[in-house]
Amino acid sequence: MTTATHLRDKFAVVTGASTGIGAAIAERLAASGAHLVLVARSAGKLDETAERLSRRHGVTVRTVPLDLAAADAPTRLAKTLADEGIEVELLVNNAGVSSRGPALDGDPARFRSLIDVNVTALTELTTLLVPAMVARGHGAVVNIASTGGYIPSPYLAVYSATKAFVVSFTQALWAETRGTGVRVVAVSPGPTKTPMNARGTRSPEAVAATVVRALAGTGPAVIDGKANALTAFVFGRLLPTRLVLAIARRIMARGGD
Ligand SMILES: NC(=O)c1ccc[n+]([C@@H]2O[C@H](COP(=O)([O-])OP(=O)(O)OC[C@H]3O[C@@H](n4cnc5c(N)ncnc54)[C@H](OP(=O)(O)O)[C@@H]3O)[C@@H](O)[C@H]2O)c1
């Protein structure tokens, strides 16, 4: 089990920490006494967050401005951490990009970049950083998925497919790492009010609290919020796929989440 208390004076890496859910997770971890490595493209926003968190919580915060869509980004981040002797106790793969609109109208290059961030970087960072945790017998990785990973989402087709990957990959890795002392869990927010989703109803702080609770749990996947969990269960498990797709198409065509 990994709790927030276990993270005191240990390093947590949070990707996509410049804003939204990632910034809220970083704040929550810093409040628990964790030192942080914050990753995103916006160097200025990362530095502002780092300065605020270290002043408020007295923790060390290192920023690594990086485009995770770049093919060498995960290895560069792993090398930076190794060169600086940073032992990663917690990896939060939170960085993500969305894709709204009909899939067939989408820009293939944009889809590639989205998949590189949501899937490739997440997978590579996990496989680069988690083996050391397994060797030590402690550590954790939280992969931020989405309720869209449980329900195919017309007009968010590529995005929700990447999140289905995150849920599936993380659950399988959870099984592979049973008994190693390493906590592996997928956390799925539903619509959350951030720069990605102005119509979101949950707060990033609520999702961050769910992440901390998920760390202390034992299961392979957690959904943020009771209503989101019910929606994922009913639409993802109970109802026939054709009906789910018909309903989802109507909701998403109206610009819903
Ligand atoms: N908001 C929702 O309704 C919702 C629902 C379900 C799941 N989620 C998931 O929650 C996670 C956080 O989403 P959010 O709502 O907080 O989104 P957000 O406010 O748009 O933040 C996304 C974060 O990812 C970073 N990022 C994006 N592209 C990147 C790249 N190429 N390289 C490095 N960092 C990159 C962004 O920083 P820079 O722009 O500075 O690079 C930012 O820090 C995502 O995985 C998202 O899919 C969100």
Side-chain angles (χ1 to χ4, degrees):
M1 183 168 72
T2 305
T3 65
T5 320
H6 288 110
L7 294 168
R8 177 165 292 281
D9 291 329
K10 306 271 180 54
F11 268 95
V13 174
V14 183
T15 69
S18 61
T19 183
I21 292 170
I25 293 170
E27 172 88 47
R28 185 91 194 195
L29 295 173
S32 303
H35 303 307
L36 296 170
V37 178
L38 306 181
V39 183
R41 289 166 302 183
S42 318
K45 279 195 210 163
L46 282 183
D47 287 343
E48 275 171 35
T49 307
E51 203 274 319
R52 189 181 69 249
L53 294 185
S54 59
R55 184 168 25 85
R56 200 178 280 173
H57 302 291
V59 296
T60 301
V61 188
R62 169 80 162 86
T63 59
V64 184
L66 203 58
D67 182 356
L68 287 169
D72 63 347
T75 45
R76 273 170 48 206
L77 176 57
K79 184 171 182 319
T80 301
L81 297 169
D83 289 348
E84 297 188 13
I86 293 174
E87 192 173 273
V88 180
E89 184 67 15
L90 168 65
L91 168 65
V92 183
N93 277 309
N94 163 80
V97 188
S98 188
S99 64
R100 191 170 289 278
L104 299 183
D105 291 350
D107 171 5
R110 200 165 162 265
F111 285 154
R112 175 184 286 268
S113 168
L114 183 157
I115 293 165
D116 284 344
V117 176
N118 294 12
V119 171
T120 312
L122 176 145
T123 307
E124 288 190 19
L125 284 175
T126 302
T127 50
L128 285 164
L129 300 180
V130 176
M133 298 178 193
V134 172
R136 287 198 306 269
H138 58 89
V141 55
V142 176
N143 288 332
I144 303 297
S146 166
T147 47
Y150 294 83
I151 310 162
S153 309
Y155 308 110
L156 268 178
V158 178
Y159 173 77
S160 70
T162 64
K163 295 302 184 176
F165 174 98
V166 175
V167 173
S168 174
F169 169 67
T170 309
Q171 289 183 322
L173 186 67
W174 174 89
E176 289 184 22
T177 52
R178 291 295 277 165
T180 63
V182 176
R183 174 86 179 110
V184 176
V185 63
V187 174
S188 291
T192 304
K193 197 170 180 59
T194 67
M196 181 187 282
N197 186 354
R199 296 159 57 112
T201 46
R202 295 280 288 177
S203 73
E205 291 73 25
V207 178
T210 296
V211 166
V212 169
R213 273 198 303 278
L215 276 172
T218 57
V222 169
I223 294 171
D224 172 61
K226 287 196 175 80
N228 290 331
L230 184 66
T231 303
F233 178 68
V234 171
F235 283 82
R237 294 266 163 80
L238 282 188
L239 296 178
T241 305
R242 283 175 75 119
L243 177 61
V244 168
L245 289 172
I247 297 169
R249 181 167 178 264
R250 279 174 146 242
I251 293 172
M252 299 303 291
R254 289 201 306 261
D257 303 296

